[in-house]
Amino acid sequence: MSRSDLPALTIADLQSLLRRKEVSPREVIDALRARIENVEPKIDAYLSIDFQAAAKEADKVDVDLPLGGVPIAIKDIINVKGQPCTCGSKILANYRSPYDATVIQKLRAAGAVPFGKTNMDEFAMGSSTENSSVKVTRNPWDMSRVPGGSSGGSAAAVAADSAFGGLGTDTGGSIRQPASLCGIVGVKPSYGRVSRFGLVAFASSLDQVGPLTKTVRDSALIMNAMAGHDPQDSTSLSEPVPDYKKNLGRDLKGMRLGLPKEYMIEGIDPQVKSAVDTALKQLQSLGAEIVDVSLPHTDYGIAVYYFLATAEASANLARFDGVRYGHRAKDPKDLLDHYGRTREEGFGAEVKRRIILGTYVLSSGYYDAYYVRAQKVRELIRQDFVKAFEKVDAIVSPTSPVPAFKLGERTADPLAMYLADIFTNTGNLAGICGISVPCGLAKVNGNQPRNDRGSRTLSELPIGLQILGKSLDEARIFQIAHAYEQSTGWHEARPKL
Ligand code: GLN
């Protein structure tokens, strides 16, 4: 195999080449670097890359470890020692991490090489990566469209073969939605399954770190390395971590999959609907039974999410005060002027909007009416899932109601942007696990000029199928997603870059 073909490999295939010593970790870094230099000017997925540190680490790595010699791209909200960690924000523009997050320590212990930090919506607030204060990332399938968000940099890099795999974070959909829009696999682990020590907090009752990869198996490999209890994160669960590879290859006979009637909403793109319908038939042909279920409080998901996530964000982001980290306003008149101008200069519009909303929701006159009520409805949403899971093993739905939208299309309308997560954020509210796996390609008018026969060229845009599982039932959603993926091959479709 020629070196320039290496970046297209899955993690599993790359790791077996490394283990057989057919390629060295240093050669992998070099091949990846060449690929990144080639595609990065088109998609802008990375905020910083340290090839030198990566090459040094690669030279020392034990290729017999499960991820030995595999470079992994990291969303720029997870601390990697010595690297920048901007969270896509001006307020952290000059910050460097003094330590490794637990997930990074664990990936390194499994032999992975974290080599670069990826673009994101500022503090993970957004669904398109357009809220990054640094730059816009483009969808590798169509450069006039968004990669989704907020983990859009990691998703675009994996889709463009400029990363073998990446880490993202998912508070309301930020791993699954960009995975869906970029035609790759993305996993939101159950709340508490993966440590958040060293993750910059957005909404602490919702945030989880998870993988973005080309295949389901690759996500299982990363989860094997990363999941588990961490004494440094009191919300992490102590239940033992199963081997997530163990169910891969098992069939779906007897598996009951729930289809929530509330998810077939108006406004869902007809091509998304038809791809998901076809996926359901495919799952049936693999032995699964499709069962109607109801999640009656689904309609409240977006509202509840935006009460709670903004409330938590307003508290979490109080620490960016210009004293302890990052940007500091020049020549303040007094302390209040120092805080006020530091935050005015450092935060972008969406982050400010969230802090204002969250502060309002928590303010003494409105706390009961908004925050406490939203907590109660969150419990009803959680119970919807508990009841549904009494009848079914997993729940299937589209990941996103639409394929990748155009850059700029939703930036002026925050509500339109918030609707991107309509199928994903109830999973975070309930604390359950979910995966998005490619299930088709939509055809839309491309950006290119008419071709010689005078007809408009068509862009192909990926569609994702979401599979939600009970808390700590990751092994089962991996099994279902893998069986589906292997029987269809949608994961093999690649953008033409
Ligand atoms: N789009 C949602 C938001 O803006 C979810 C973001 C996320 O999961 N980090 O809050």
Side-chain angles (χ1 to χ4, degrees):
M1 152 179 294
S2 113
R3 293 290 174 257
S4 63
D5 294 333
L6 285 172
L9 292 177
T10 63
I11 291 176
D13 289 345
L14 174 71
Q15 221 290 317
S16 41
L17 283 188
L18 282 158
R19 198 173 289 212
R20 295 200 304 267
K21 306 223 167 9
E22 288 174 32
V23 57
S24 74
R26 174 65 83 105
E27 287 169 323
V28 171
I29 298 283
D30 290 344
L32 187 61
R33 181 180 191 148
R35 175 70 183 169
I36 290 174
E37 283 168 2
N38 181 14
V39 297
E40 199 48 17
K42 296 186 221 162
I43 61 166
D44 264 332
Y46 286 92
L47 291 176
S48 59
I49 305 182
D50 192 339
F51 286 117
Q52 255 180 336
K56 259 203 216 144
E57 238 176 283
D59 287 343
K60 288 188 301 206
V61 99
D62 174 358
V63 292
D64 288 326
L65 290 168
L67 297 173
V70 177
I72 304 281
I74 311 294
K75 185 177 184 179
D76 206 25
I77 194 169
I78 299 169
N79 282 284
V80 179
K81 190 173 179 182
Q83 303 296 318
C85 188
T86 68
C87 298
S89 182
K90 280 198 226 142
I91 211 156
L92 285 173
N94 300 316
Y95 177 75
R96 273 183 188 267
S97 303
Y99 67 103
D100 272 341
T102 298
V103 288
I104 301 298
Q105 283 174 22
K106 287 191 168 204
L107 285 183
R108 288 195 206 277
V113 182
F115 68 96
K117 307 295 297 285
T118 55
N119 198 18
M120 55 183 283
D121 287 301
E122 186 175 3
F123 286 104
M125 298 173 187
S127 303
S128 69
T129 311
E130 291 164 295
N131 292 337
S132 166
S133 73
V134 186
K135 60 184 177 183
V136 162
T137 296
R138 289 157 194 279
N139 191 313
W141 290 83
D142 177 342
M143 253 68 82
S144 69
R145 290 174 188 267
V146 302
S150 63
S151 314
S154 286
V158 172
D161 293 334
S162 60
F164 292 97
L167 292 194
T169 58
D170 192 313
T171 303
S174 277
I175 292 175
R176 289 161 287 163
Q177 184 259 15
S180 167
L181 270 47
C182 288
I184 60 168
V185 174
V187 179
K188 184 201 95 70
S190 310
Y191 187 73
R193 183 70 297 184
V194 175
S195 165
R196 284 106 45 92
F197 178 71
L199 162 68
V200 180
F202 161 13
S204 306
S205 75
L206 301 159
D207 299 339
Q208 271 290 293
V209 178
L212 290 132
T213 58
K214 294 170 195 171
T215 63
V216 176
R217 178 177 297 277
D218 284 359
S219 274
L221 290 173
I222 292 183
M223 280 296 288
N224 271 356
M226 202 164 68
H229 181 248
D230 175 12
Q232 305 261 45
D233 175 359
S234 59
T235 64
S236 71
L237 298 170
S238 49
E239 273 76 359
V241 179
D243 177 358
Y244 292 121
K245 293 196 312 285
K246 80 168 193 288
N247 286 353
L248 305 183
R250 287 214 195 150
D251 66 31
L252 302 185
K253 290 209 180 65
M255 193 75 83
R256 290 167 67 87
L257 303 180
L259 181 65
K261 64 171 192 277
E262 291 79 7
Y263 281 23
M264 284 303 159
I265 50 162
E266 228 178 280
I268 182 165
D269 182 286
Q271 298 193 69
V272 170
K273 182 168 186 319
S274 105
V276 170
D277 287 343
T278 310
L280 295 177
K281 292 204 187 90
Q282 180 66 16
L283 286 162
Q284 278 171 320
S285 77
L286 294 169
E289 188 187 338
I290 307 290
V291 180
D292 286 331
V293 291
S294 173
L295 299 168
H297 298 92
T298 297
D299 264 4
Y300 303 105
I302 296 273
V304 169
Y305 173 85
Y306 278 96
F307 286 131
L308 299 180
T310 56
E312 295 183 29
S314 73
N316 274 326
L317 270 58
R319 73 193 65 183
F320 301 104
D321 56 9
V323 177
R324 288 167 288 189
Y325 323 91
H327 175 73
R328 176 176 294 183
K330 286 210 171 61
D331 304 323
K333 282 204 304 285
D334 54 25
L335 189 62
L336 275 187
D337 184 44
H338 161 88
Y339 289 151
R341 276 200 296 117
T342 295
R343 289 163 70 81
E344 159 65 32
E345 291 163 14
F347 290 137
E350 182 62 26
V351 174
K352 287 177 187 155
R353 180 181 296 121
R354 305 265 180 129
I355 293 173
I356 293 168
L357 279 171
T359 307
Y360 180 79
V361 163
L362 289 174
S363 61
S364 62
Y366 296 100
Y367 181 82
D368 286 332
Y370 293 128
Y371 184 75
V372 172
R373 265 195 139 169
Q375 289 289 24
K376 290 181 182 162
V377 183
R378 176 183 191 167
E379 177 55 22
L380 295 175
I381 290 173
R382 199 186 64 80
Q383 285 173 15
D384 281 356
F385 281 105
V386 170
K387 285 189 199 123
F389 285 129
E390 283 166 5
K391 284 187 18 190
V392 296
D393 299 297
I395 290 171
V396 285
S397 78
T399 305
S400 159
V402 292
F405 42 94
K406 293 252 184 197
L407 287 160
E409 191 180 308
R410 297 191 181 197
T411 40
D413 181 357
L415 280 182
M417 195 69 95
Y418 297 173
L419 288 174
D421 301 311
I422 192 154
F423 298 134
T424 46
N425 65 22
T426 49
N428 301 71
L429 291 166
I432 59 178
C433 60
I435 187 168
S436 180
V437 60
C439 74
L441 291 171
K443 291 195 168 37
V444 295
N445 279 334
N447 217 25
Q448 293 85 349
R450 286 168 193 280
N451 66 19
D452 5 325
R453 282 194 310 259
S455 55
R456 267 212 176 278
T457 54
L458 290 176
S459 277
E460 287 190 315
L461 299 176
I463 300 170
L465 176 73
Q466 174 173 244
I467 304 165
L468 294 169
K470 280 183 251 200
S471 174
L472 296 184
D473 214 10
E474 280 83 358
R476 194 189 305 263
I477 58 173
F478 280 135
Q479 175 186 350
I480 301 165
H482 180 78
Y484 173 77
E485 169 195 85
Q486 294 301 311
S487 73
T488 61
W490 284 116
H491 62 295
E492 279 161 8
R494 316 283 339 144
K496 295 174 201 77
L497 261 170

